[in-house]
Amino acid sequence: MGKVYGYVRVSTKEQNEDRQMIAMSGVKVPEENIYMDKQSGKDFNRPMYQRLLMKLKQEDLLYVVSIDRLGRDYEEILEQWRVLTREKKVDIVVLDMPLLDTRRGKDLMGTFLSDIVLQVLSFVAENERKNIKQRQREGIEAAKLRGVQFGRPPKPIPENFEQIYGRWVAKEISGKEAAKLCNIATATFYRRANEQSLKYKSH
């Protein structure tokens, strides 16, 4: 019997890892054998997972809480499962899905069933992530239609803007000079000037 390891991943630095750590404690994974990454969804360069891979040896046992801890999409999850079970020849237990326990059914049929379950679950996990993103997008669009503003609130227009804008329109000063007099960035001045122009046209 080899060593017992656990892998914990949270997708952002703010997300809490307590649930996964409690689960690891519940199956008695030694604290020094728990490897944890805190990475954003965009950055999937997981240093602790790579270190864990180098440590794992044949007949070791690896616990993860859920299948999506192994990868950020369907293909990556399957690839990591292949690396762990076929190349490293370690056993994996997915705690929230008891069917995914490679210690059971070491015969051909057991391996076949485990692979089918894994593929279905990986697909479901990826679909759920896509659905969450879609719901977020739809929620943002609906909020925008209701007039909810996202991002930083625009800076107030400088008190002297109208006067400086008039001088710029009369070609007395350049846009760069106008921006400096208003104490704003040149790009901001041009954007404000464009808004002002549209406002005058609508009246």
Side-chain angles (χ1 to χ4, degrees):
M1 181 66 186
K3 292 183 177 179
V4 178
Y5 292 92
Y7 179 63
V8 170
R9 179 174 67 82
V10 287
S11 56
T12 67
K13 290 200 162 62
E14 291 77 30
Q15 200 175 349
N16 196 302
E17 68 273 8
D18 287 354
R19 185 181 76 89
Q20 293 178 69
M21 293 300 286
I22 290 166
M24 293 297 162
S25 174
V27 289
K28 297 182 169 50
V29 178
E31 198 170 329
E32 67 273 15
N33 287 358
I34 298 173
Y35 288 72
M36 179 170 64
D37 279 310
K38 288 191 176 187
Q39 300 287 315
S40 71
K42 291 177 183 174
D43 177 12
F44 214 66
N45 178 26
R46 299 176 293 168
M48 296 307 289
Y49 181 72
Q50 296 306 323
R51 195 177 293 182
L52 171 64
L53 277 181
M54 285 163 49
K55 275 263 186 189
L56 287 168
K57 291 185 172 54
Q58 188 169 345
E59 295 189 1
D60 284 346
L61 172 62
L62 174 64
Y63 283 101
V64 291
V65 171
S66 57
I67 193 65
D68 62 359
R69 300 303 87 191
L70 289 180
R72 60 183 160 184
D73 57 36
Y74 175 63
E75 287 181 6
E76 192 153 33
I77 291 168
L78 293 179
E79 173 60 16
Q80 291 310 313
W81 187 274
R82 186 193 64 77
V83 167
L84 291 162
T85 58
R86 306 280 163 79
E87 291 182 17
K88 290 288 183 178
K89 299 189 187 315
V90 301
D91 277 317
I92 308 175
V93 176
V94 180
L95 292 172
D96 67 0
M97 184 49 62
L99 283 169
L100 287 178
D101 181 345
T102 61
R103 297 172 301 180
R104 300 174 184 175
K106 290 286 187 183
D107 58 4
L108 187 62
M109 181 56 73
T111 303
F112 175 68
L113 287 173
S114 183
D115 282 353
I116 287 177
V117 171
L118 170 71
Q119 292 204 36
V120 170
L121 289 174
S122 302
F123 178 74
V124 168
E126 185 179 0
N127 255 13
E128 181 56 23
R129 270 193 299 276
K130 286 179 180 174
N131 288 339
I132 288 168
K133 285 181 180 175
Q134 179 63 27
R135 287 195 292 271
Q136 284 172 340
R137 277 196 297 271
E138 288 169 358
I140 289 167
E141 287 306 314
K144 281 180 179 174
L145 289 172
R146 293 196 308 271
V148 176
Q149 300 251 332
F150 291 89
R152 290 181 186 172
K155 287 184 179 178
I157 294 175
E159 287 181 13
N160 64 343
F161 180 79
E162 292 262 358
Q163 179 197 349
I164 302 299
Y165 171 74
R167 290 179 63 191
W168 174 73
V169 170
K171 295 188 167 45
E172 291 178 19
I173 53 174
S174 68
K176 193 172 181 181
E177 288 170 321
K180 196 171 181 181
L181 288 166
C182 289
N183 197 28
I184 56 177
T186 306
T188 305
F189 173 78
Y190 282 122
R191 189 176 71 251
R192 295 288 196 185
N194 186 49
E195 288 168 2
Q196 195 79 349
S197 171
L198 292 171
K199 191 165 78 173
Y200 285 146
K201 282 177 185 174
S202 65
H203 286 313

